[in-house]
Short mmCIF file of all heavy atoms in Angstrom, two decimals:
data_model
loop_
_atom_site.label_atom_id
_atom_site.label_comp_id
_atom_site.label_asym_id
_atom_site.label_seq_id
_atom_site.Cartn_x
_atom_site.Cartn_y
_atom_site.Cartn_z
N TYR A 83 26.23 37.53 -27.03
CA TYR A 83 27.39 37.82 -27.87
C TYR A 83 28.70 37.58 -27.11
O TYR A 83 29.71 36.88 -27.60
CB TYR A 83 27.39 39.36 -28.18
CG TYR A 83 28.46 39.89 -28.99
CD1 TYR A 83 28.27 40.18 -30.34
CD2 TYR A 83 29.60 40.44 -28.47
CE1 TYR A 83 29.22 40.64 -31.23
CE2 TYR A 83 30.64 40.92 -29.24
CZ TYR A 83 30.45 41.09 -30.61
OH TYR A 83 31.40 41.65 -31.36
N ARG A 84 28.74 37.99 -25.80
CA ARG A 84 29.84 37.72 -25.01
C ARG A 84 30.19 36.26 -24.78
O ARG A 84 31.28 35.86 -24.94
CB ARG A 84 29.73 38.34 -23.62
CG ARG A 84 29.69 39.86 -23.68
CD ARG A 84 29.81 40.46 -22.21
NE ARG A 84 28.68 40.22 -21.36
CZ ARG A 84 27.65 41.08 -21.32
NH1 ARG A 84 27.60 42.06 -22.04
NH2 ARG A 84 26.65 40.76 -20.53
N GLU A 85 29.08 35.50 -24.55
CA GLU A 85 29.25 34.00 -24.29
C GLU A 85 29.85 33.35 -25.68
O GLU A 85 30.80 32.54 -25.52
CB GLU A 85 27.89 33.37 -24.01
CG GLU A 85 28.01 31.96 -23.57
CD GLU A 85 26.73 31.19 -24.14
OE1 GLU A 85 25.66 31.67 -23.93
OE2 GLU A 85 26.92 30.18 -24.69
N VAL A 86 29.30 33.68 -26.78
CA VAL A 86 29.71 32.99 -28.02
C VAL A 86 31.08 33.49 -28.32
O VAL A 86 32.00 32.64 -28.79
CB VAL A 86 28.78 33.15 -29.17
CG1 VAL A 86 29.27 32.63 -30.42
CG2 VAL A 86 27.40 32.71 -28.85
N LEU A 87 31.42 34.80 -28.12
CA LEU A 87 32.74 35.18 -28.47
C LEU A 87 33.95 34.45 -27.60
O LEU A 87 34.81 34.06 -28.21
CB LEU A 87 32.79 36.74 -28.10
CG LEU A 87 34.18 37.42 -28.24
CD1 LEU A 87 34.54 37.45 -29.70
CD2 LEU A 87 34.06 38.90 -27.84
N ALA A 88 33.66 34.40 -26.38
CA ALA A 88 34.64 33.74 -25.53
C ALA A 88 34.69 32.21 -25.76
O ALA A 88 35.72 31.53 -25.67
CB ALA A 88 34.34 34.06 -24.01
N ARG A 89 33.58 31.63 -26.14
CA ARG A 89 33.52 30.20 -26.35
C ARG A 89 34.26 29.82 -27.67
O ARG A 89 35.01 28.77 -27.67
CB ARG A 89 32.12 29.72 -26.45
CG ARG A 89 31.82 28.31 -26.54
CD ARG A 89 30.37 27.92 -26.77
NE ARG A 89 30.01 28.10 -28.12
CZ ARG A 89 28.72 28.50 -28.46
NH1 ARG A 89 27.79 28.60 -27.57
NH2 ARG A 89 28.40 28.67 -29.67
N GLU A 90 34.15 30.57 -28.64
CA GLU A 90 34.57 30.18 -30.06
C GLU A 90 35.86 30.75 -30.59
O GLU A 90 36.39 30.17 -31.46
CB GLU A 90 33.47 30.60 -31.07
CG GLU A 90 32.13 29.95 -30.89
CD GLU A 90 32.11 28.46 -31.26
OE1 GLU A 90 32.94 27.92 -31.90
OE2 GLU A 90 31.13 27.82 -30.72
N PHE A 91 36.40 31.77 -29.82
CA PHE A 91 37.55 32.43 -30.42
C PHE A 91 38.66 32.47 -29.41
O PHE A 91 38.35 32.79 -28.11
CB PHE A 91 37.21 33.79 -30.97
CG PHE A 91 36.16 33.80 -32.08
CD1 PHE A 91 34.77 33.93 -31.70
CD2 PHE A 91 36.48 33.46 -33.36
CE1 PHE A 91 33.80 33.84 -32.67
CE2 PHE A 91 35.46 33.34 -34.34
CZ PHE A 91 34.15 33.57 -34.03
N ASN A 92 40.00 32.49 -29.82
CA ASN A 92 41.05 32.77 -28.85
C ASN A 92 41.77 34.03 -29.21
O ASN A 92 42.81 34.29 -28.74
CB ASN A 92 41.96 31.54 -28.83
CG ASN A 92 42.63 31.20 -30.04
OD1 ASN A 92 42.56 32.00 -31.07
ND2 ASN A 92 43.04 30.02 -30.30
N MET A 93 41.19 34.85 -30.16
CA MET A 93 41.79 36.15 -30.44
C MET A 93 40.70 37.13 -30.82
O MET A 93 39.59 36.78 -31.29
CB MET A 93 42.69 35.91 -31.67
CG MET A 93 43.28 37.19 -32.29
SD MET A 93 44.55 36.73 -33.58
CE MET A 93 46.00 36.80 -32.78
N VAL A 94 40.92 38.46 -30.46
CA VAL A 94 39.94 39.46 -30.76
C VAL A 94 40.66 40.67 -31.44
O VAL A 94 41.92 40.94 -31.18
CB VAL A 94 39.19 40.06 -29.60
CG1 VAL A 94 38.31 39.02 -28.91
CG2 VAL A 94 40.11 40.60 -28.47
N THR A 95 39.94 41.32 -32.33
CA THR A 95 40.38 42.66 -32.82
C THR A 95 39.20 43.63 -32.50
O THR A 95 38.18 43.54 -32.88
CB THR A 95 40.59 42.68 -34.44
OG1 THR A 95 41.34 41.54 -34.72
CG2 THR A 95 41.14 43.85 -34.92
N PRO A 96 39.59 44.78 -31.79
CA PRO A 96 38.61 45.78 -31.57
C PRO A 96 38.23 46.33 -32.96
O PRO A 96 39.08 46.87 -33.70
CB PRO A 96 39.29 46.92 -30.71
CG PRO A 96 40.46 46.09 -30.02
CD PRO A 96 40.81 45.01 -31.09
N GLU A 97 36.95 46.32 -33.30
CA GLU A 97 36.57 46.80 -34.74
C GLU A 97 36.71 48.26 -34.91
O GLU A 97 37.23 48.64 -35.99
CB GLU A 97 35.12 46.39 -34.87
CG GLU A 97 34.59 46.77 -36.25
CD GLU A 97 33.24 46.32 -36.62
OE1 GLU A 97 32.58 45.65 -35.68
OE2 GLU A 97 32.72 46.71 -37.73
N ASN A 98 36.60 49.07 -33.89
CA ASN A 98 36.67 50.53 -34.19
C ASN A 98 37.41 51.26 -32.96
O ASN A 98 38.04 52.37 -33.24
CB ASN A 98 35.28 51.10 -34.32
CG ASN A 98 34.65 50.80 -35.74
OD1 ASN A 98 35.25 51.00 -36.62
ND2 ASN A 98 33.50 50.27 -35.62
N VAL A 99 37.29 50.80 -31.80
CA VAL A 99 37.56 51.77 -30.61
C VAL A 99 39.04 51.97 -30.43
O VAL A 99 39.46 52.88 -29.58
CB VAL A 99 36.95 51.17 -29.32
CG1 VAL A 99 35.36 51.17 -29.42
CG2 VAL A 99 37.43 49.82 -29.00
N MET A 100 39.90 51.36 -31.14
CA MET A 100 41.44 51.71 -31.02
C MET A 100 41.82 52.68 -32.19
O MET A 100 42.98 52.97 -32.31
CB MET A 100 42.36 50.53 -30.97
CG MET A 100 42.32 49.72 -29.62
SD MET A 100 43.57 48.43 -29.69
CE MET A 100 43.34 47.80 -27.93
N LYS A 101 40.92 52.97 -33.01
CA LYS A 101 41.29 53.88 -34.15
C LYS A 101 41.49 55.36 -33.60
O LYS A 101 40.98 55.63 -32.46
CB LYS A 101 40.01 53.87 -35.18
CG LYS A 101 40.04 52.58 -35.93
CD LYS A 101 38.77 52.48 -36.85
CE LYS A 101 38.71 51.07 -37.54
NZ LYS A 101 37.53 50.86 -38.13
N PHE A 102 42.15 56.01 -34.38
CA PHE A 102 42.56 57.44 -34.00
C PHE A 102 41.50 58.21 -33.40
O PHE A 102 41.67 58.75 -32.28
CB PHE A 102 43.24 58.09 -35.23
CG PHE A 102 44.38 59.10 -34.79
CD1 PHE A 102 45.61 59.07 -35.45
CD2 PHE A 102 43.99 60.19 -33.87
CE1 PHE A 102 46.60 59.94 -35.17
CE2 PHE A 102 44.95 61.09 -33.66
CZ PHE A 102 46.31 61.02 -34.18
N LYS A 103 40.31 58.34 -34.12
CA LYS A 103 39.30 59.27 -33.63
C LYS A 103 38.76 58.91 -32.30
O LYS A 103 38.65 59.81 -31.42
CB LYS A 103 38.22 59.31 -34.68
CG LYS A 103 37.07 60.32 -34.40
CD LYS A 103 36.15 60.49 -35.53
CE LYS A 103 35.00 61.39 -35.25
NZ LYS A 103 34.21 61.77 -36.36
N PRO A 104 38.32 57.70 -32.03
CA PRO A 104 37.82 57.37 -30.65
C PRO A 104 38.79 57.37 -29.55
O PRO A 104 38.57 57.84 -28.48
CB PRO A 104 37.18 55.97 -30.82
CG PRO A 104 37.67 55.43 -32.16
CD PRO A 104 38.06 56.61 -33.10
N ILE A 105 40.12 57.05 -29.94
CA ILE A 105 41.05 56.88 -28.82
C ILE A 105 41.80 58.17 -28.61
O ILE A 105 42.33 58.38 -27.48
CB ILE A 105 41.99 55.66 -29.14
CG1 ILE A 105 42.40 54.98 -27.83
CG2 ILE A 105 43.21 56.04 -29.90
CD1 ILE A 105 43.03 53.59 -27.96
N HIS A 106 41.82 59.07 -29.44
CA HIS A 106 42.51 60.35 -29.44
C HIS A 106 41.70 61.51 -29.84
O HIS A 106 41.99 62.08 -30.76
CB HIS A 106 43.83 60.11 -30.21
CG HIS A 106 44.91 61.22 -29.99
ND1 HIS A 106 46.21 61.07 -30.41
CD2 HIS A 106 44.94 62.32 -29.30
CE1 HIS A 106 46.84 62.19 -30.13
NE2 HIS A 106 46.19 62.95 -29.49
N PRO A 107 40.62 61.70 -29.14
CA PRO A 107 39.54 62.66 -29.67
C PRO A 107 40.02 64.09 -29.66
O PRO A 107 39.41 64.91 -30.32
CB PRO A 107 38.42 62.39 -28.68
CG PRO A 107 38.99 61.87 -27.44
CD PRO A 107 40.15 61.08 -27.87
N GLU A 108 40.96 64.45 -28.80
CA GLU A 108 41.43 65.84 -28.79
C GLU A 108 42.92 65.82 -28.73
O GLU A 108 43.51 64.76 -28.38
CB GLU A 108 40.88 66.70 -27.55
CG GLU A 108 39.49 66.92 -27.64
CD GLU A 108 38.84 67.29 -26.25
OE1 GLU A 108 39.61 68.12 -25.61
OE2 GLU A 108 37.82 66.93 -25.89
N ARG A 109 43.50 66.90 -29.16
CA ARG A 109 44.99 66.87 -29.37
C ARG A 109 45.72 66.40 -27.97
O ARG A 109 46.70 65.63 -28.10
CB ARG A 109 45.56 68.22 -29.81
CG ARG A 109 47.03 68.09 -30.05
CD ARG A 109 47.63 69.22 -30.84
NE ARG A 109 49.03 68.96 -31.30
CZ ARG A 109 49.86 69.91 -31.66
NH1 ARG A 109 49.47 71.06 -31.88
NH2 ARG A 109 51.08 69.45 -32.00
N ASP A 110 45.14 66.85 -26.89
CA ASP A 110 45.92 66.53 -25.59
C ASP A 110 45.08 65.63 -24.83
O ASP A 110 45.15 65.63 -23.51
CB ASP A 110 46.25 67.90 -24.85
CG ASP A 110 47.22 68.67 -25.61
OD1 ASP A 110 48.15 68.11 -26.21
OD2 ASP A 110 47.02 69.84 -25.72
N ARG A 111 44.14 64.86 -25.36
CA ARG A 111 43.29 63.79 -24.68
C ARG A 111 43.19 62.55 -25.26
O ARG A 111 42.76 62.51 -26.52
CB ARG A 111 41.92 64.52 -24.33
CG ARG A 111 41.09 63.66 -23.38
CD ARG A 111 39.80 64.43 -22.95
NE ARG A 111 38.90 64.57 -24.12
CZ ARG A 111 37.99 63.73 -24.35
NH1 ARG A 111 37.95 62.53 -23.64
NH2 ARG A 111 37.15 63.91 -25.31
N TYR A 112 43.37 61.50 -24.56
CA TYR A 112 43.17 60.12 -25.10
C TYR A 112 41.94 59.61 -24.34
O TYR A 112 41.74 59.98 -23.18
CB TYR A 112 44.35 59.32 -24.83
CG TYR A 112 45.59 59.71 -25.78
CD1 TYR A 112 46.43 60.80 -25.46
CD2 TYR A 112 45.78 59.02 -26.99
CE1 TYR A 112 47.40 61.04 -26.29
CE2 TYR A 112 46.84 59.30 -27.84
CZ TYR A 112 47.64 60.31 -27.47
OH TYR A 112 48.71 60.74 -28.29
N ASP A 113 41.23 58.67 -24.98
CA ASP A 113 40.06 58.17 -24.28
C ASP A 113 40.17 56.60 -24.53
O ASP A 113 39.86 56.04 -25.51
CB ASP A 113 38.74 58.59 -24.85
CG ASP A 113 37.55 57.96 -24.10
OD1 ASP A 113 37.74 57.10 -23.22
OD2 ASP A 113 36.46 58.30 -24.32
N PHE A 114 40.67 55.82 -23.40
CA PHE A 114 40.91 54.48 -23.56
C PHE A 114 39.81 53.61 -23.08
O PHE A 114 39.94 52.42 -22.97
CB PHE A 114 42.21 54.09 -22.82
CG PHE A 114 43.51 54.62 -23.31
CD1 PHE A 114 44.18 55.69 -22.70
CD2 PHE A 114 44.03 54.11 -24.48
CE1 PHE A 114 45.34 56.24 -23.26
CE2 PHE A 114 45.20 54.70 -25.04
CZ PHE A 114 45.76 55.75 -24.45
N THR A 115 38.71 54.34 -22.58
CA THR A 115 37.63 53.55 -21.90
C THR A 115 37.08 52.30 -22.66
O THR A 115 37.17 51.29 -22.18
CB THR A 115 36.38 54.54 -21.61
OG1 THR A 115 36.92 55.79 -21.35
CG2 THR A 115 35.56 54.03 -20.60
N ALA A 116 36.72 52.59 -23.88
CA ALA A 116 36.14 51.49 -24.76
C ALA A 116 37.08 50.41 -25.09
O ALA A 116 36.86 49.10 -24.85
CB ALA A 116 35.45 52.00 -25.93
N ALA A 117 38.32 50.82 -25.49
CA ALA A 117 39.31 49.88 -25.86
C ALA A 117 39.69 49.01 -24.55
O ALA A 117 39.96 47.82 -24.63
CB ALA A 117 40.49 50.58 -26.35
N ASN A 118 39.75 49.78 -23.41
CA ASN A 118 40.12 48.99 -22.16
C ASN A 118 39.12 47.87 -21.97
O ASN A 118 39.51 46.74 -21.51
CB ASN A 118 40.16 49.78 -21.06
CG ASN A 118 41.39 50.79 -20.99
OD1 ASN A 118 42.33 50.69 -21.79
ND2 ASN A 118 41.42 51.76 -20.00
N GLU A 119 37.87 48.15 -22.15
CA GLU A 119 36.82 47.15 -21.93
C GLU A 119 37.04 45.79 -22.81
O GLU A 119 36.91 44.79 -22.27
CB GLU A 119 35.39 47.73 -22.24
CG GLU A 119 34.86 48.66 -21.14
CD GLU A 119 33.60 49.25 -21.69
OE1 GLU A 119 32.75 48.46 -21.87
OE2 GLU A 119 33.48 50.50 -21.61
N ILE A 120 37.43 46.05 -24.00
CA ILE A 120 37.76 44.92 -24.93
C ILE A 120 39.06 44.17 -24.40
O ILE A 120 39.00 42.91 -24.36
CB ILE A 120 37.79 45.32 -26.32
CG1 ILE A 120 36.48 45.88 -26.76
CG2 ILE A 120 38.25 44.13 -27.25
CD1 ILE A 120 36.36 46.25 -28.27
N VAL A 121 39.93 44.89 -24.03
CA VAL A 121 41.33 44.36 -23.53
C VAL A 121 41.01 43.46 -22.27
O VAL A 121 41.46 42.45 -22.11
CB VAL A 121 42.37 45.34 -23.32
CG1 VAL A 121 43.64 44.86 -22.64
CG2 VAL A 121 42.77 45.96 -24.75
N THR A 122 40.20 44.07 -21.30
CA THR A 122 39.93 43.39 -20.08
C THR A 122 39.18 42.10 -20.35
O THR A 122 39.44 41.02 -19.86
CB THR A 122 39.06 44.36 -19.20
OG1 THR A 122 39.83 45.57 -19.13
CG2 THR A 122 38.83 43.74 -17.87
#
Side-chain angles (χ1 to χ4, degrees):
Y83 182 94
R84 292 196 289 274
E85 187 217 311
V86 178
L87 177 64
R89 186 186 75 207
E90 297 290 341
F91 302 96
N92 58 19
M93 178 174 259
V94 296
T95 306
E97 182 175 353
N98 285 309
V99 295
M100 282 185 181
K101 290 173 183 170
F102 208 123
K103 185 174 178 167
I105 214 163
H106 192 170
E108 290 166 40
R109 188 165 185 191
D110 296 317
R111 186 171 70 85
Y112 289 80
D113 182 354
F114 293 109
T115 322
N118 286 352
E119 285 175 51
I120 296 182
V121 170
T122 304

